[in-house]
Amino acid sequence: MTLTTEQKKTVVASFLGWTLDAFDFFLLTFLLTDIATEFHTDVPAVSKALFLTLATRFIGAFLFGMLADKFGRKPILMLNIVSYSVIGALAAFSPNLGIFLALRALFGIAMGGEWGLGSSLAMESIPPSARGMVSGILQCGYPAGYLLAAVVYGLLYGQKIGDFTFGWRAMFLLSFLPALMVLFIRSHVPESPAFVEGRAQTRPGLLETLQRHWGIALYAVVLMMFFNFFSHGTQDLYPTFLKKQHGFDPHTVSWITVVANIGAIVGGLAFGALSEKIGRINAITLACLIALPALPLWAYSTTPFMLAVGAFIMQVAVQGAWGVIPVHLNELSPGAVRATLPGFIYQAGNLAASYGGPYQAGIAEAPGSSYGYALALFAGVVAVCIIVVIRFSPERRGQVMTVLDREVRAIPEKV
């Protein structure tokens, strides 16, 4: 894979934007029990913040995507990063659970815009032969953000500097840091060549495009619903599972989560690259198949070491499948709405799957149940659903991307 210096900077910016976005989101997953204690409530009540964040992301994907299709990927990506950084940090000042939940809903709107903006900017700026690897790199931003949150939580949470203690509020203040990314994007990242090429030409709007391609859009939303169940169902409550069911301390929870996300990064890179050789659909199928035999080790082991091994394998599978999604959705999307449609489809799927966290927590805390059972149930069922659904997907691997509907397909669409 050979990229120019500007293309490499574009990929780095898109990767870091998604990494820091995920960092802000996953900080919450380590702090559910502490927030519940301070606000005198239980984990399922606080986990509604996960639901609200996921449920509102489709609004941000639509709003920021529409702005990017009109004004350009680069300036709206900068606006988006500043938005999620500021709103994420404001959660530190929440006086009660209601305000906290409202701020996380607003954070979801801001978070929802980044994936579509970053992936369209990157995919429109690189040669077709590099898309599989870059897709894996971009999607690895999500587990990299989770890994970063785990490291920060393990190193800082509960630490004292004089009279100051790093509690959950101080952790949310770290959400200000991603705003510094804007300086790098402003100085080093060029606008998408495809957007520049088609800026002066008349392009169809989102509604017109959806009318013409409603079948693939609806299918993709269903697919992304299952994908979001797959990722959030194996990630969001895992730290709570380690703390509540196994009684592990923050350090142990942190290093197990770090190992899991190293697996996620390995999976994303490996299967993103593999998709260039065996195809997008086959790569996703293979990744999901790996998840099934990993279930007992991941959810029912009793020692930290074996849980870490299971978590590593599970996240190789989960993020391996996800590593193909940025390129797959961008290749399926008409060029005129590429900043809007992939992100909107992704986040609409998120909306459909958004209540998974509270639902899982409810199952886990029901009499006679456990977090291990709730996690295994979700992961197993959803992995099978993705395997079935992805086999019906069209594939447009290698097509030339422009902002107009005149893409040239290197590989015929699968029917």
Side-chain angles (χ1 to χ4, degrees):
M1 179 180 67
T2 302
L3 301 179
T4 67
T5 300
E6 285 190 340
Q7 288 170 340
K8 290 177 181 177
K9 289 178 179 179
T10 299
V11 172
V12 168
S14 300
F15 169 81
L16 289 177
W18 193 221
T19 297
L20 297 173
D21 201 346
F23 169 77
D24 282 2
F25 175 80
F26 281 112
L27 276 178
L28 173 60
T29 69
F30 291 94
L31 304 170
L32 291 172
T33 54
D34 306 276
I35 297 169
T37 299
E38 177 158 340
F39 290 145
H40 307 291
T41 186
D42 55 18
V43 170
V46 180
S47 70
K48 289 179 181 176
L50 298 172
F51 156 67
L52 290 170
T53 302
L54 299 178
T56 56
R57 276 163 62 167
F58 86 101
I59 301 173
F62 178 76
L63 293 178
F64 285 102
M66 291 286 284
L67 290 172
D69 279 325
K70 184 174 182 179
F71 298 108
R73 290 33 168 156
K74 176 180 173 178
I76 305 305
L77 180 60
M78 293 190 292
L79 173 64
N80 181 252
I81 291 173
V82 170
S83 298
Y84 75 65
S85 297
V86 172
I87 297 171
L90 287 176
F93 303 99
S94 303
N96 53 55
L97 181 60
I99 297 298
F100 179 79
L101 293 177
L103 286 169
R104 295 310 288 180
L106 291 174
F107 172 78
I109 294 175
M111 182 182 185
E114 202 286 334
W115 188 91
L117 301 179
S119 64
S120 62
L121 177 61
M123 292 300 163
E124 291 176 348
S125 301
I126 61 174
S129 61
R131 286 190 203 137
M133 176 59 75
V134 170
S135 178
I137 291 171
L138 293 184
Q139 197 58 39
C140 280
Y142 208 59
Y146 197 175
L147 188 153
L148 182 60
V151 170
V152 170
Y153 175 75
L155 291 178
L156 295 183
Y157 190 76
Q159 298 298 314
K160 292 186 177 182
I161 302 177
D163 294 330
F164 178 78
T165 300
F166 269 93
W168 71 264
R169 294 182 184 275
M171 299 296 285
F172 277 113
L173 287 176
L174 297 174
S175 295
F176 274 125
L177 296 178
L180 298 176
M181 265 287 297
V182 170
L183 300 176
F184 173 78
I185 296 172
R186 177 68 181 86
S187 302
H188 298 284
V189 177
E191 182 55 88
S192 156
F195 176 81
V196 173
E197 174 195 350
R199 192 195 312 253
Q201 303 185 47
T202 302
R203 291 170 283 163
L206 178 63
L207 292 180
E208 181 183 346
T209 303
L210 286 175
Q211 288 176 348
R212 292 169 52 191
H213 302 276
W214 67 269
I216 188 62
L218 181 61
Y219 167 82
V221 169
V222 173
L223 178 65
M224 296 317 298
M225 175 187 71
F226 287 124
F227 261 87
N228 281 291
F229 273 134
F230 201 30
S231 58
H232 291 287
T234 58
Q235 294 170 336
D236 295 1
L237 291 180
Y238 206 70
T240 303
F241 158 69
L242 296 174
K243 287 192 287 185
K244 294 199 69 171
Q245 188 164 319
H246 292 282
F248 296 147
D249 58 45
H251 174 74
T252 304
V253 172
S254 174
W255 78 256
I256 292 175
T257 309
V258 166
V259 170
N261 284 285
I262 291 173
I265 293 170
V266 170
L269 292 174
F271 281 89
L274 185 63
S275 74
E276 287 295 338
K277 297 181 179 179
I278 68 173
R280 317 303 188 203
I281 295 169
N282 290 334
I284 290 171
T285 302
L286 179 60
C288 291
L289 286 172
I290 292 174
L292 298 176
L295 287 172
L297 194 62
W298 173 68
Y300 292 105
S301 294
T302 56
T303 66
F305 176 78
M306 294 307 293
L307 284 165
V309 172
F312 180 90
I313 298 171
M314 178 59 70
Q315 291 306 319
V316 166
V318 173
Q319 292 302 321
W322 265 104
V324 187
I325 287 299
V327 63
H328 188 49
L329 288 188
N330 273 273
E331 286 174 337
L332 292 180
S333 296
V337 291
R338 191 170 289 118
T340 307
L341 194 58
F344 180 76
I345 286 171
Y346 174 8
Q347 305 302 356
N350 240 327
L351 172 63
S354 60
Y355 204 70
Y359 186 63
Q360 270 185 304
I363 293 174
E365 300 204 352
S369 189
S370 69
Y371 275 89
Y373 169 74
L375 289 166
L377 177 66
F378 260 61
V381 171
V382 172
V384 172
C385 289
I386 292 175
I387 291 169
V388 173
V389 173
I390 194 62
R391 304 311 302 179
F392 294 94
S393 176
E395 180 162 323
R396 296 171 185 165
R397 177 165 41 117
Q399 73 169 5
V400 175
M401 290 186 181
T402 71
V403 296
L404 302 178
D405 291 331
R406 58 170 186 261
E407 290 87 351
V408 179
R409 296 172 189 169
I411 293 181
E413 177 179 338
K414 175 184 173 182
V415 179

